[in-house]
Amino acid sequence: MLPRKRACEGVAVHEDTDNNNKNKKIRIVEAADPTVKISSDVVCGENNCNSNSSDNHGSGSLVKEEEKEEASIMALGDANSTDIDEDLHSRQLAVYGRETMRRLFASNILVSGMQGLGAEIAKNLILAGVKSVTLHDEGMVELWDLSSNFIFSEGDVGKNRALASVQKLQELNNAVVVRALTTNLTKEQLSDFQAVVFTDISFEKAIEFNDYCHNHQPPIAFIKTEVRGLFGSVFCDFGPEFTIVDVDGEEPHTGIIASISNDNPALVSCVDDERLEFQDGDLVVFSEVHGMTELNDGKPRKIKNARAYSFTLEEDTTNYGAYAKGGIVTQVKQPKVLNFKPLREALTEPGDFLLSDFSKFDRPPLLHLAFQALDKFVSELGRFPVAGSEEDAQKLTSIVTNINESLGDGRQEDINPKLLRHFAFGAKAVLNPMAAMFGGIVGQEVVKACSGKFHPLFQFFYFDSVESLPTEPVDSIDFRPLNSRYDAQISVFGSKLQKKLEDAKVFIVGSGALGCEFLKNVALMGVSCGNEGKLTLTDDDVIEKSNLSRQFLFRDWNIGQAKSTVAASAAKSINPRFNIEALQNRVGPETENVFDDTFWESLSVVINALDNVNARLYVDQRCLYFQKPLLESGTLGAKCNTQMVIPHLTENYGASRDPPEKQAPMCTVHSFPHNIDHCLTWARSEFEGLLEKTPAEVNAYLSNPSEYCTAMINAGDAQARDNLERVLECLDNERCETFQDCITWARLKFEDYFANRVKQLIYTFPEDAATSTGAPFWSAPKRFPRPLQFSSADLSHLHFVMAGSILRAETFGIPIPDWVKNPKKMAEAVDKVMVPEFQPKKDVKIVTDEKATSMSTGSIDDSAVIAELIMKLKQCQKNLAPEFRMKPIQFEKVYLLPSSLFHSIFSTIPMLVSCHLPLD
């Protein structure tokens, strides 16, 4: 177990028990006497939250409980460790992997500066599930902060920013310890953290802290980031030698070998089933090669001349055995070491900048100077440049010029006074879209620093979105503050555009991960918060536990409630002036009576937050017809995209389509799979057939037996026969009444899938089988299979039976015992199952035709078989309780990435609205 950390001084921590959820909540209050230092040990978990005074730190009772917990975890084995709540973090596990998640769970992070940017970073890290997040800020909440920080309300004005943030951020994830630090930060305190992030710090102080982090053993990942109006920067230093374990997070690429030449160098050709994804210089290993067995030694070999279906192996195979058949070639992913320079050196020798826009290749060097000049401006005058002040803009430009001239041969030829003017005007403002975008980027950089997964920023990143400014000139008086929560935004865009935003009529389709972020952003920006404004939100889905790790507007007590209703309420709490209506309707042809022509014509802009292409295409077509701007976006794993569709200016979403995915033949999926996609397709089909479609068919029969049977008789085809066979099998031979029956069912399924079917396949087609032309039957891409021998000592085998038995029990409504996830007890129950010996049959026909669309064989007389099946089904029904029904289980897709990357699309919102809503 990892050592527990102390809460920070100046904060008292109390426990509140939520009886409905059996979780303890953290309630944070300031000490009554600011001179009193209150320290606590805080450990928060989903079902565990202990608060012990500092006097009891490391007490014997606490250590014993830790030892018990650790022993329990060890007993489950690495693959079944309880340290990851898989229901909550299923999406992240799919993207990051278990080892990366464990590293995250052991990481303590400091976020200094709790304006809008700091709040976004903290939110993302807490949702990601790091061990602890310490919030540091010595400043007080101002009305100005409400333009970018979703945590603060007007009632928080005058409170310390860190203290005002703790409780609301803690609600996002009870398993993460959230602390507040309100006193002056010293460099020695940084040793408690694996990564530190500063969002509001001078270069002088940043250099001091960064030197300490860079030289610390082990190095502490240091990130300095800030957003100034429509400009932002990130600096990363992860130490003198930082090892990237996995550069891109992708699975190693593979290929199925068709031939290998005896040459120097050797030419390796692969089957044209799928394009190879290898690149020159990649290392690969060979396996399952027949003939040229010298390559099966597991030694990584370098390749070159990589092509779509071939590559050259940098090895002399002249004296190797002749290639006969088979073989898999797999990419070996190599770690990469980066040598970061400390900020002190990087400021004068920044190296190459990361480009986000290739039309602005000259911007990063200029912004590198601009942010240094701004720091000098603030240190000299004690304030930021005033929005609209030409004098302040000129002074900042003068400082940039002086810094540039001091660089000698490395100076910039053009310092672009117009760009620097925009930079000066918005320098004080932290805009929500910029904070959201950089909060996502920096949150992901912290994940990289703590886990070593994905290539980090190296070292500076600068971004600007000056194209989001109004196209028409804005008078300096229009930038003046109005003593409103939108003053920061007004200082950049002007009050006229702010009025346009407030009166906008917006339609957001979907309130999942993207939808929650969009709602937060538009609420903070004041969109639809005016007397004429209105936002309509629709989503027909309900909240599930797995949503909570990325859909941050929801809490555990919202599980089962409508997403749109909860999201709308949460967004309104962010900005009480938000005019929002929540609906639970799908958007499609069937709801055009709800979303009619009048509705579409009234809209200012549409924002898609959908998870399927058909709905996207429908909304896109409606926007195209009614000439409405559309913000389209989507995520997949660690990837995301966004598209702004503006009438008469840009291409619409449906104007281009992805090519259809190549479908594997049915015989390949069922009998001759040779890649992971085939296996996943088969597993998805089996899951839906056994746990969703068959229980649904059973319920359809039990609800109205006579009508169901009549429909099957009238159909009289193979499909009707198959349906009846599945229903009868489920209610007769494979009917489960106890959980032990479910274990038996799952164990026999294992034997059927992974042993008996394979035995039958290799009986029908032995390893030396030949086709009608005399060619080997088992030639690429077919791979000769081997049956599995079940072992209850193999956790992967045991997990299959455990998962299968739980799912089967749910479909039959059978209670699931508490011991089901205990490997020892589960193994004992599985070993009781009697597995009949399998004997292959001579007359079994296995489909090998790739053009076949069904794996079932036709019956001589389907109608006769159907009549017999109906009779048996009626007899079986007599043994069922009249109210008996099954519970179909839907397959849950896992494809969304954690929320820390969603935000890179949000900075386009002001541009989208301002482009379509010209100023009067």
Side-chain angles (χ1 to χ4, degrees):
M1 296 296 293
L2 293 159
R4 291 176 164 88
K5 295 290 184 180
R6 291 186 176 184
C8 295
E9 296 175 349
V11 182
V13 184
H14 299 275
E15 295 178 355
D16 288 340
T17 301
D18 181 346
N19 293 323
N20 293 329
N21 295 284
K22 298 180 181 179
N23 294 335
K24 291 182 179 178
K25 309 298 181 185
I26 297 297
R27 179 162 52 89
I28 312 290
V29 296
E30 275 187 274
D33 182 350
T35 63
V36 176
K37 296 182 179 180
I38 304 174
S39 180
S40 301
D41 290 331
V42 185
V43 179
C44 303
E46 186 179 335
N47 294 304
N48 169 31
C49 181
N50 298 320
S51 177
N52 303 298
S53 69
S54 56
D55 292 337
N56 293 328
H57 184 67
S59 65
S61 60
L62 187 60
V63 171
K64 289 178 181 178
E65 289 303 314
E66 288 183 354
E67 290 173 351
K68 289 179 183 178
E69 185 179 354
E70 185 169 13
S72 175
I73 291 174
M74 294 299 292
L76 290 171
D78 289 342
N80 193 35
S81 177
T82 57
D83 59 349
I84 298 177
D85 187 339
E86 297 191 16
D87 291 335
L88 179 64
H89 294 291
S90 58
R91 268 63 170 180
Q92 282 178 264
L93 278 167
V95 176
Y96 291 149
R98 190 173 296 274
E99 186 57 37
T100 297
M101 290 294 292
R102 286 199 179 116
R103 289 175 184 153
L104 278 181
F105 287 0
S107 300
N108 301 295
I109 314 298
L110 170 73
V111 179
S112 177
M114 288 307 297
Q115 294 177 307
L117 177 55
E120 293 287 345
I121 296 168
K123 166 178 68 77
N124 295 332
L125 295 175
I126 292 168
L127 289 173
V130 297
K131 182 183 180 186
S132 73
V133 175
T134 298
L135 314 173
H136 169 252
D137 202 310
E138 299 173 51
M140 302 300 171
V141 178
E142 301 175 11
L143 188 62
W144 179 277
D145 295 327
L146 272 60
S147 181
S148 62
N149 192 311
F150 69 95
I151 300 171
F152 301 149
S153 64
E154 293 184 6
D156 292 320
V157 173
K159 297 179 181 178
N160 175 270
R161 290 195 189 103
L163 285 175
S165 304
V166 173
Q167 186 172 1
K168 291 181 181 178
L169 287 174
Q170 181 68 75
E171 290 177 358
L172 297 175
N173 190 343
N174 287 334
V176 178
V177 179
V178 182
R179 307 181 179 98
L181 180 61
T182 63
T183 57
N184 184 45
L185 190 66
T186 63
K187 61 185 181 183
E188 288 76 19
Q189 289 175 282
L190 304 183
S191 62
D192 292 334
F193 306 99
Q194 281 70 52
V196 296
V197 181
F198 294 90
T199 69
D200 186 17
I201 188 174
S202 68
F203 274 100
E204 180 183 4
K205 199 68 177 175
I207 289 172
E208 177 190 347
F209 284 167
N210 176 239
D211 285 345
Y212 179 84
C213 293
H214 188 86
N215 297 320
H216 191 272
Q217 291 300 324
I220 302 164
F222 176 94
I223 299 176
K224 180 186 184 300
T225 180
E226 54 186 320
V227 291
R228 303 298 177 193
L230 290 168
F231 300 81
S233 75
V234 180
F235 168 78
C236 294
D237 173 14
F238 295 168
E241 291 187 358
F242 178 76
T243 301
I244 310 169
V245 179
D246 186 348
V247 172
D248 57 12
E250 301 288 342
E251 289 295 319
H253 301 303
T254 63
I256 300 175
I257 299 170
S259 67
I260 307 175
S261 68
N262 290 94
D263 286 319
N264 184 19
L267 176 65
V268 181
S269 298
C270 294
V271 298
D272 60 1
D273 184 63
E274 290 183 11
R275 292 176 63 91
L276 295 175
E277 299 292 339
F278 298 148
Q279 296 181 0
D280 290 359
D282 277 356
L283 294 177
V284 298
V285 293
F286 293 82
S287 60
E288 303 179 28
V289 177
H290 291 254
M292 196 178 289
T293 55
E294 293 88 345
L295 295 179
N296 293 332
D297 56 7
K299 171 187 171 184
R301 293 170 165 86
K302 185 176 288 189
I303 68 170
K304 61 181 181 180
N305 300 328
R307 299 290 185 265
Y309 303 106
S310 66
F311 58 86
T312 300
L313 186 65
E314 291 190 348
E315 186 158 348
D316 183 0
T317 61
T318 306
N319 298 320
Y320 289 3
Y323 173 80
K325 66 175 183 178
I328 305 295
V329 58
T330 305
Q331 176 191 31
V332 177
K333 304 193 76 170
Q334 294 292 299
K336 181 178 180 180
V337 177
L338 293 179
N339 306 117
F340 285 89
K341 290 185 288 189
L343 181 59
R344 183 187 302 276
E345 297 177 19
L347 279 174
T348 55
E349 299 176 7
D352 295 330
F353 297 101
L354 176 65
L355 282 176
S356 63
D357 188 338
F358 289 101
S359 68
K360 300 177 179 180
F361 66 92
D362 59 335
R363 292 282 174 85
L366 179 56
L367 294 180
H368 186 64
L369 300 178
F371 275 93
Q372 293 179 64
L374 179 62
D375 179 73
K376 190 171 183 180
F377 183 104
V378 174
S379 65
E380 289 179 358
L381 301 182
R383 63 173 176 82
F384 285 96
V386 176
S389 170
E390 297 291 349
E391 181 181 351
D392 284 357
Q394 183 57 46
K395 180 170 179 58
L396 182 72
T397 303
S398 177
I399 298 175
V400 171
T401 302
N402 292 337
I403 296 175
N404 188 45
E405 290 299 323
S406 69
L407 297 178
D409 294 340
R411 64 179 178 271
Q412 300 298 310
E413 294 182 4
D414 180 16
I415 62 169
N416 196 341
K418 184 179 179 180
L419 182 71
L420 293 176
R421 179 175 176 270
H422 291 317
F423 181 77
F425 279 13
K428 184 183 177 184
V430 177
L431 298 179
N432 164 255
M434 292 292 293
M437 173 184 173
F438 275 81
I441 292 173
V442 173
Q444 194 70 0
E445 292 309 302
V446 174
V447 170
K448 296 173 186 177
C450 296
S451 67
K453 189 157 189 173
F454 301 111
H455 199 293
L457 291 177
F458 187 81
Q459 291 190 268
F460 284 102
F461 171 66
Y462 293 101
F463 175 86
D464 74 86
S465 185
V466 291
E467 57 271 20
S468 297
L469 290 169
T471 55
E472 298 180 6
V474 181
D475 193 279
S476 60
I477 196 172
D478 207 30
F479 295 120
R480 291 182 179 176
L482 303 178
N483 195 32
S484 76
R485 62 181 294 147
Y486 312 118
D487 279 351
Q489 196 160 276
I490 290 171
S491 72
V492 175
F493 296 108
S495 57
K496 290 181 180 177
L497 179 57
Q498 182 62 41
K499 182 67 165 59
K500 289 283 186 181
L501 294 174
E502 291 178 33
D503 290 340
K505 293 178 174 60
V506 181
F507 185 29
I508 295 184
V509 189
S511 57
L514 285 172
C516 285
E517 297 291 342
F518 284 137
L519 282 170
K520 176 255 298 177
N521 290 352
V522 296
L524 289 171
M525 293 166 61
V527 176
S528 303
C529 294
N531 295 331
E532 303 297 324
K534 181 182 178 182
L535 186 143
T536 303
L537 170 69
T538 190
D539 194 316
D540 67 340
D541 203 1
V542 297
I543 299 166
E544 300 175 3
K545 184 177 181 179
S546 62
N547 301 149
L548 304 182
S549 65
R550 65 197 188 283
Q551 299 174 21
F552 83 104
L553 294 181
F554 308 142
R555 304 291 181 264
D556 52 5
W557 54 84
N558 297 132
I559 292 174
Q561 299 175 18
K563 282 187 176 180
S564 61
T565 304
V566 175
S569 176
K572 196 168 180 65
S573 69
I574 292 174
N575 189 340
R577 298 177 182 84
F578 202 14
N579 300 319
I580 183 170
E581 179 184 11
L583 304 175
Q584 285 86 48
N585 303 98
R586 290 191 176 213
V587 180
E590 68 277 7
T591 56
E592 288 183 359
N593 61 320
V594 178
F595 307 110
D596 55 18
D597 290 2
T598 302
F599 171 80
W600 284 99
E601 288 168 352
S602 69
L603 297 176
S604 306
V605 62
V606 179
I607 301 174
N608 266 354
L610 291 160
D611 63 355
N612 69 89
V613 173
N614 290 335
R616 286 185 170 104
L617 290 171
Y618 175 81
V619 174
D620 176 65
Q621 288 301 308
R622 300 300 279 175
C623 290
L624 192 63
Y625 181 82
F626 289 101
Q627 298 293 287
K628 301 299 178 183
L630 169 68
L631 176 60
E632 169 59 48
S633 55
T635 64
L636 177 65
K639 307 175 183 71
C640 62
N641 74 284
T642 183
Q643 179 181 0
M644 281 176 34
V645 180
I646 301 176
H648 311 298
L649 184 64
T650 67
E651 180 182 70
N652 68 297
Y653 173 77
S656 60
R657 304 284 183 91
D658 292 333
E661 293 185 9
K662 184 179 179 181
Q663 297 293 322
M666 291 295 291
C667 65
T668 299
V669 171
H670 284 265
S671 300
F672 311 108
H674 53 264
N675 64 37
I676 189 64
D677 289 340
H678 299 155
C679 301
L680 292 173
T681 300
W682 170 83
R684 170 74 179 269
S685 175
E686 289 295 307
F687 184 102
E688 291 180 341
L690 289 170
L691 301 167
E692 182 179 0
K693 294 178 181 179
T694 297
E697 284 289 326
V698 169
N699 291 344
Y701 168 74
L702 295 176
S703 297
N704 196 327
S706 59
E707 183 178 317
Y708 182 88
C709 293
T710 301
M712 295 297 105
I713 293 171
N714 291 339
D717 57 9
Q719 183 62 55
R721 185 201 71 213
D722 288 345
N723 287 344
L724 286 168
E725 285 176 344
R726 284 191 284 113
V727 172
L728 181 61
E729 186 177 59
C730 187
L731 295 179
D732 189 12
N733 296 335
E734 295 187 354
R735 181 182 166 197
C736 297
E737 296 181 342
T738 66
F739 191 76
Q740 183 62 42
D741 292 341
C742 299
I743 292 175
T744 300
W745 177 85
R747 172 65 183 89
L748 295 180
K749 280 295 177 187
F750 182 100
E751 199 70 14
D752 176 40
Y753 288 148
F754 308 122
N756 297 349
R757 294 192 190 189
V758 179
K759 291 175 182 177
Q760 182 64 59
L761 183 64
I762 61 180
Y763 178 84
T764 305
F765 300 108
E767 192 167 6
D768 58 355
T771 65
S772 58
T773 62
F777 179 84
W778 293 104
S779 59
K782 292 187 179 73
R783 300 170 63 181
F784 188 75
R786 307 286 179 187
L788 283 182
Q789 177 66 44
F790 180 85
S791 170
S792 58
D794 189 318
L795 283 175
S796 63
H797 297 186
L798 200 62
H799 285 162
F800 177 91
V801 177
M802 179 186 71
S805 58
I806 291 174
L807 290 167
R808 188 68 168 177
E810 288 185 3
T811 60
F812 277 92
I814 296 171
I816 300 170
D818 295 336
W819 52 261
V820 69
K821 292 186 179 181
N822 183 302
K824 183 178 179 181
K825 292 184 178 180
M826 189 68 189
E828 291 174 355
V830 174
D831 289 339
K832 294 178 183 178
V833 178
M834 300 297 296
V835 179
E837 185 178 350
F838 176 77
Q839 292 295 332
K841 299 177 181 178
K842 292 183 179 181
D843 56 349
V844 172
K845 292 184 178 181
I846 298 175
V847 178
T848 59
D849 182 6
E850 293 189 354
K851 296 180 180 179
T853 58
S854 173
M855 299 304 293
S856 60
T857 56
S859 173
I860 298 175
D861 186 354
D862 282 329
S863 59
V865 175
I866 287 172
E868 183 180 354
L869 289 170
I870 289 174
M871 288 182 61
K872 291 181 179 179
L873 202 53
K874 289 180 178 178
Q875 290 296 321
C876 183
Q877 185 186 358
K878 295 178 181 179
N879 298 323
L880 300 175
E883 69 279 2
F884 175 79
R885 293 293 185 276
M886 296 189 70
K887 178 187 175 183
I889 299 175
Q890 290 187 338
F891 185 86
E892 183 180 358
K893 294 179 287 185
V894 178
Y895 57 90
L896 296 177
L897 89 167
S899 63
S900 61
L901 275 186
F902 293 162
H903 317 310
S904 60
I905 64 179
F906 299 146
S907 62
T908 58
I909 296 176
M911 188 201 311
L912 178 69
V913 179
S914 63
C915 284
H916 191 67
L917 301 175
L919 298 177
D920 292 334

